[in-house]
Amino acid sequence: MAVQLMQEMWQGEISTVTIGAVKEEGGSRAYSIKIGGEQSLPCLFKEGAIPNKPEIAFEIWDIAPNDWPSELSKEYGHALNDPFLWAEKCVKEYKARSLCVRLQGAHPDSGDKGPGEEAAFIRQLLDKVNVPLIILGTGDDTKDNLLLPACSEAAKGERCLIGSAVQDNYKTIAVSLLADGHNIIAESPIDINIAKQLNILISDMGLPLERIVINPTIGALGYGLEYAYSIMERARLAALSGDKTVASPFVCFVGQEAWRAKEAKVEDSRQGVMWEVLTATALIQAGADLLVMRHPLAIEKVNKYIDKLCS
Amino acid sequence: MALSGLDIYRLLPKTNCRECGFATCLVFAMQLAKKAVSIDKCPSLSKESRAALEASAQPPIKLVTLGIGEAKFEAGNESVMFRHEEKFHRPCGIGFIIEDSLSNVLIKDKIIKINKLKFERIGQKLEVNLVAIKQKESAKRFTEVVKLVADNTSLALVLMSDDLTGLKQALDITANRKPLIYHATKENLPQIAELAKDYNAALVATGEDLDAVSGLTVELNNLGISELILETGDKPIAEKIWDLTQMRRLALKKNNRSLGYPSLVVINQADPFEEAQEAASYIAKYAGIVLIKGVEPFEILPLVTLRQNIYSDPQKPLQIEPKLYPIGQVNDKSPVLVTTNFSLTYYTVLGEVEASKIPSYIVSVDTEGMSVLTAWAAEKFTPHKITESINKLGVKDAVKHKRLIIPGYVAVISGELEDESGFEIIVGPKEAAGIPSFLKNLPINT
Ligand code: SF4
């Protein structure tokens, strides 16, 4: 008996954001990556195109992280003390397709490095590794407003993804990124309306929706994962139904959240890896486009999963 | 799917004969839609209409019960495609496959591990549900292993075999445990249907694709069997998710009875990470049961946690009772930490206070289950509310000092809270992870 399938017909489409510019485009990356572009819900390839696979970026810091549990930090060993070595290890040894550098050392509480110093660091990093780069500020609004414009300028033309812009603090960042040809991370606190609002505010400043990536602010597995999961599903349904203001790809800071979980810091180090792996897996099922992760084994497993999904 | 009053009206004789006690067929239809009367009241209903009305009164996805007693497990009765639309009702069953080719020692060892897979997170017990015994050897060996497993675990059982003799013998010893028979295929249909009927056991129906599965359920229904769980063939993850999505959609939105049953997925992955990723995908996307092989806590705790997340009620954040909770051997000098009654927040704080090994009190203020920042923004965690709570919950009777530790995120309220409560306010860390070092460095000048 033939079953009459039920196919959803979507009119909307997630915008495609390109990260990294190659030489011909005015940058110096070896290649660029594309995220977004979906015309269907995750995995439902039969209902619309899913042109780009979810991407994973390795998270690195400009200073040695002091709050990474040993189960995680032992993977990188002494490379954690040298961001260039760390970056090269990710690219050469672990075949990272992109890197996400967090400028923690500029945070007022952890070094308070100046914008000039960090901008020079970013330029040097771009010269050392040629993969697409994501740049994160400190989360301190005042500092980020000085820091991110400087880094944006230092990376001019490389088409980085830079953030985060938040509802109370997006103008300065958006203006610089617009001028220097980068993409922006718009961060909203697990709230679809704020996500929408922020996208509108940023695009009103001239940065087109095609250059915005939403950070829905995830919680790790067991720590509020389900809130982001449902916000992402709701945003995707709205976007596919035609609401352009939430039709941006999602970036999810999986490593940062997963390794804070108590359950990740146990003797059996496989549990921490599994915590990161399943946080990523669930978010991919909710529509994550770019996952920023930490543990090399977790990244390897999630990459394999992505390949299996999209084969 | 429930029919509307008008849908029902179309199925009625439309003679307005009043036999049902209502003035017109339309009024009767409206009452039926509200489930205020029984369809039996209309004597002139055609056979087809009656069947359609009866079908519409059933839940779109049948509830199937396996196992008995404490280990009773239910799947089905789901009502939505996305958890935010309402909630997912019956947490996906997690079961473990044990092959009869393993030695008895190894089997026992595995069961011991499975029985230990009990966890507790944010006040909820997280448990696994099923053990599946798979026949690879003779019917005799299979039966032996089924007995061994049945004797050593109370979890619901799945009997996996293509050998009818093996199944029959296994059912002889486990029928009273409400096992699940795996599986009916187009090759064994009449025989296995008879077994399921004789032993009153639920049955998995397995077909290549949705057409085949639907064909099987129709035939099984005709043979009088309706305790069914559905499985499509072995296929890549995305195709499996397509099948699971279609089954859920067609049952819910098109009232397709032949697919209106819970689903089952057998995962065949040796690597624990890959196995868990597949299981997680199907837990998120509509599976009623997943069967895996791995029994190690590092794999299972994350999986049951994911299931807890996906199946939590999005409308009702998990809350704990607003109370003054003593943690450890407290005395009247112990520090007092203020937080909300959102389970996740409370248990995170609790975990860190315990880790600090410093006996403390935690006051959980009634924020209707909101987290610190959300509650503050929604004015449920104001100086006034907090003061009310500490007075009501007896903080002043419990400790002699007058100091409160508040979450770093609401540092802005310290002044006002100090005035209102009469307590000295100490601003704690923003993140719970900072609590142990914060408590250790707290000057003990009481
Ligand atoms: S008994 Fe049946 S046919 Fe007669 S009025 Fe009622 S619904 Fe209509």
Side-chain angles (χ1 to χ4, degrees):
Chain A
M1 190 174 79
V3 172
Q4 190 72 40
L5 295 180
M6 201 181 149
Q7 304 250 8
E8 295 284 357
M9 292 293 179
W10 302 110
Q11 317 129 36
E13 175 180 344
I14 308 306
S15 52
T16 303
V17 174
T18 307
I19 306 171
V22 298
K23 209 166 160 209
E24 297 75 50
E25 299 165 313
S28 63
R29 306 299 84 201
Y31 52 84
S32 55
I33 57 171
K34 283 189 192 315
I35 56 170
E38 297 94 332
Q39 295 171 21
S40 178
L41 290 170
C43 280
L44 302 184
F45 292 90
K46 291 179 186 158
E47 292 181 329
I50 303 179
N52 303 302
K53 291 184 194 178
E55 287 278 348
I56 303 178
F58 277 69
E59 180 175 337
I60 61 170
W61 287 23
D62 63 333
I63 54 167
N66 58 359
D67 64 348
W68 286 25
S70 60
E71 293 77 18
L72 171 63
S73 57
K74 68 174 190 232
E75 291 302 315
Y76 295 100
H78 67 283
L80 291 183
N81 299 311
D82 177 348
F84 301 121
L85 198 67
W86 186 357
E88 272 171 357
K89 190 177 170 79
C90 292
V91 174
K92 294 217 173 88
E93 195 175 326
Y94 302 129
K95 307 278 174 283
R97 292 208 358 110
S98 60
L99 291 178
C100 173
V101 60
R102 183 184 294 271
L103 299 174
Q104 188 67 26
H107 194 282
D109 297 340
S110 56
D112 207 14
K113 287 191 196 176
E117 189 184 345
E118 292 288 30
F121 163 70
I122 289 292
R123 189 61 252 169
Q124 235 182 319
L125 183 64
L126 284 161
D127 293 339
K128 290 243 160 104
V129 287
N130 60 7
V131 300
L133 191 66
I134 299 147
I135 303 171
L136 296 180
T138 63
D140 180 285
D141 289 352
T142 322
K143 187 62 186 265
D144 284 356
N145 280 342
L146 301 168
L147 176 71
L148 293 179
C151 294
S152 163
E153 206 193 332
K156 193 176 171 93
E158 298 284 6
R159 204 193 275 143
C160 298
L161 173 63
I162 300 179
S164 292
V166 293
Q167 202 181 15
D168 300 330
N169 193 51
Y170 63 93
K171 287 189 182 149
T172 316
I173 300 171
V175 168
S176 310
L177 303 194
L178 178 63
D180 300 324
H182 301 299
N183 305 298
I184 196 166
I185 299 175
E187 177 183 315
S188 43
I190 334 181
D191 186 318
I192 190 168
N193 294 318
I194 297 181
K196 243 181 193 190
Q197 184 63 24
L198 186 54
N199 270 12
I200 294 170
L201 291 171
I202 291 173
S203 63
D204 282 351
M205 301 209 43
L207 204 62
L209 288 168
E210 292 70 37
R211 280 167 64 182
I212 302 177
V213 177
I214 294 178
N215 170 11
T217 319
I218 62 145
L221 179 63
Y223 292 85
L225 173 81
E226 68 272 30
Y227 297 94
Y229 185 94
S230 283
I231 287 293
M232 288 164 69
E233 281 199 329
R234 283 172 56 199
R236 258 315 129 83
L237 288 167
L240 291 173
S241 305
D243 184 344
K244 287 197 165 52
T245 61
V246 278
S248 303
F250 295 120
V251 56
C252 296
F253 293 95
V254 171
Q256 166 195 313
E257 295 305 317
W259 289 98
R260 278 170 49 187
K262 183 173 74 185
E263 292 85 346
K265 304 169 199 165
V266 294
E267 204 181 317
D268 187 343
S269 61
R270 294 174 300 177
Q271 188 162 299
V273 176
M274 191 66 96
W275 217 262
E276 191 175 16
V277 164
L278 288 198
T279 301
T281 305
L283 293 169
I284 288 172
Q285 287 301 333
D289 296 280
L290 174 61
L291 304 124
V292 178
M293 296 180 61
R294 289 183 177 173
H295 198 291
L297 179 60
I299 295 172
E300 182 192 317
K301 294 297 177 188
V302 177
N303 263 324
K304 192 162 177 198
Y305 171 76
I306 291 170
D307 284 341
K308 278 200 271 182
L309 277 189
C310 303
S311 61
Chain B
M1 188 174 54
L3 296 178
S4 72
L6 275 179
D7 291 334
I8 296 172
Y9 175 68
R10 289 193 194 100
L11 295 167
L12 296 180
K14 304 189 195 70
T15 55
N16 299 336
C17 76
R18 295 171 172 247
E19 285 278 331
C20 56
F22 294 96
T24 61
C25 293
L26 186 62
V27 179
F28 181 67
M30 294 306 168
Q31 293 300 312
L32 262 186
K34 282 197 275 178
K35 297 194 169 47
V37 287
S38 152
I39 51 168
D40 298 332
K41 294 275 180 208
C42 172
S44 10
L45 211 53
S46 72
K47 213 176 144 208
E48 296 74 41
S49 295
R50 170 175 282 271
L53 286 171
E54 273 171 356
S56 81
Q58 286 169 22
I61 299 174
K62 192 180 163 70
L63 185 70
V64 177
T65 308
L66 305 170
I68 50 167
E70 291 268 285
K72 192 172 91 168
F73 165 77
E74 290 177 322
N77 259 0
E78 294 298 335
S79 55
V80 290
M81 296 302 296
F82 300 97
R83 58 186 293 284
H84 66 259
E85 295 173 314
E86 184 183 344
K87 69 176 218 171
F88 290 170
H89 299 271
R90 284 165 214 282
C92 173
I94 296 177
F96 305 92
I97 299 173
I98 294 180
E99 294 179 347
D100 65 358
S101 49
L102 287 179
S103 73
N104 285 2
V105 176
L106 285 177
I107 291 172
K108 269 198 179 152
D109 193 52
K110 237 180 161 174
I111 300 173
I112 290 172
K113 283 187 173 164
I114 293 169
N115 286 337
K116 278 195 196 140
L117 294 170
K118 295 189 164 115
F119 309 93
E120 201 176 315
R121 293 195 82 260
I122 49 169
Q124 286 189 328
K125 284 200 168 65
L126 305 180
E127 290 175 354
V128 296
N129 313 95
L130 309 117
V131 180
I133 306 98
K134 185 171 181 181
Q135 182 177 357
K136 299 214 119 181
E137 308 288 326
S138 67
K140 183 164 164 284
R141 173 66 186 154
F142 179 60
T143 318
E144 221 172 84
V145 173
V146 168
K147 181 156 186 342
L148 181 67
V149 172
D151 287 346
N152 286 287
T153 183
S154 59
L155 294 180
L157 303 173
V158 187
L159 308 171
M160 302 181 89
S161 168
D162 289 324
D163 173 9
L164 291 163
T165 322
L167 280 177
K168 188 166 168 18
Q169 290 177 10
L171 281 163
D172 273 332
I173 53 172
T174 57
N176 60 345
R177 297 262 302 252
K178 287 211 88 194
L180 174 63
I181 305 176
Y182 182 98
H183 53 179
T185 61
K186 65 177 188 299
E187 283 76 29
N188 69 7
L189 188 104
Q191 298 89 334
I192 203 148
E194 218 174 280
L195 268 188
K197 227 174 166 175
D198 287 351
Y199 290 93
N200 193 19
L203 183 61
V204 177
T206 306
E208 249 326 86
D209 49 25
L210 297 177
D211 288 353
V213 169
S214 157
L216 281 175
T217 59
V218 170
E219 274 187 68
L220 286 161
N221 284 167
N222 290 340
L223 293 169
I225 295 175
S226 60
E227 291 283 295
L228 293 173
I229 289 181
L230 312 184
E231 184 199 33
T232 60
D234 194 14
K235 51 189 81 181
I237 306 169
E239 281 175 45
K240 195 55 133 179
I241 287 177
W242 175 253
D243 286 353
L244 292 166
T245 305
Q246 284 295 333
M247 282 197 256
R248 170 77 62 100
R249 252 192 217 162
L250 291 167
L252 291 184
K253 316 246 172 194
K254 297 281 177 199
N255 206 22
N256 183 329
R257 307 290 331 166
S258 68
L259 296 173
Y261 298 92
S263 52
L264 172 140
V265 184
V266 176
I267 295 167
N268 196 5
Q269 282 293 344
D271 180 273
F273 293 101
E274 291 178 42
E275 180 178 72
Q277 284 178 304
E278 278 198 37
S281 313
Y282 305 138
I283 287 171
K285 296 291 163 76
Y286 316 128
I289 296 175
V290 293
L291 295 181
I292 59 179
K293 296 204 189 81
V295 297
E296 299 296 330
F298 86 89
E299 177 181 356
I300 307 306
L301 172 62
L303 270 182
V304 293
T305 303
L306 176 75
R307 179 181 64 178
Q308 180 188 33
N309 287 169
I310 297 290
Y311 279 85
S312 67
D313 186 342
Q315 267 77 38
K316 264 195 241 129
L318 285 173
Q319 305 183 23
I320 55 147
E321 191 193 337
K323 233 172 98 175
L324 177 66
Y325 291 91
I327 315 301
Q329 296 296 321
V330 288
N331 58 33
D332 56 13
K333 290 178 186 145
S334 303
V336 180
L337 296 94
V338 179
T339 189
T340 77
N341 79 324
F342 176 37
S343 289
L344 191 57
T345 308
Y346 171 76
Y347 283 102
T348 310
V349 172
L350 172 68
E352 299 298 342
V353 170
E354 282 174 344
S356 79
K357 302 218 166 59
I358 293 175
S360 310
Y361 283 101
I362 304 178
V363 189
S364 72
V365 175
D366 186 359
T367 56
E368 293 161 34
M370 289 182 201
S371 64
V372 171
L373 274 178
T374 323
W376 173 71
E379 312 227 309
K380 309 271 183 218
F381 201 55
T382 57
H384 185 66
K385 290 250 176 190
I386 297 173
T387 306
E388 236 176 50
S389 290
I390 55 175
N391 291 339
K392 201 168 80 190
L393 300 173
V395 175
K396 284 173 187 155
D397 303 328
V399 294
K400 283 210 180 108
H401 64 79
K402 296 212 94 190
R403 280 184 305 276
L404 288 180
I405 300 164
I406 62 165
Y409 277 117
V410 290
V412 290
I413 66 172
S414 356
E416 225 182 300
L417 181 56
E418 203 154 298
D419 294 345
E420 188 140 353
S421 67
F423 277 70
E424 179 196 337
I425 304 304
I426 304 168
V427 177
K430 280 189 177 172
E431 301 285 344
I435 290 176
S437 73
F438 173 83
L439 286 179
K440 277 174 202 146
N441 294 321
L442 205 61
I444 317 268
N445 48 4
T446 29

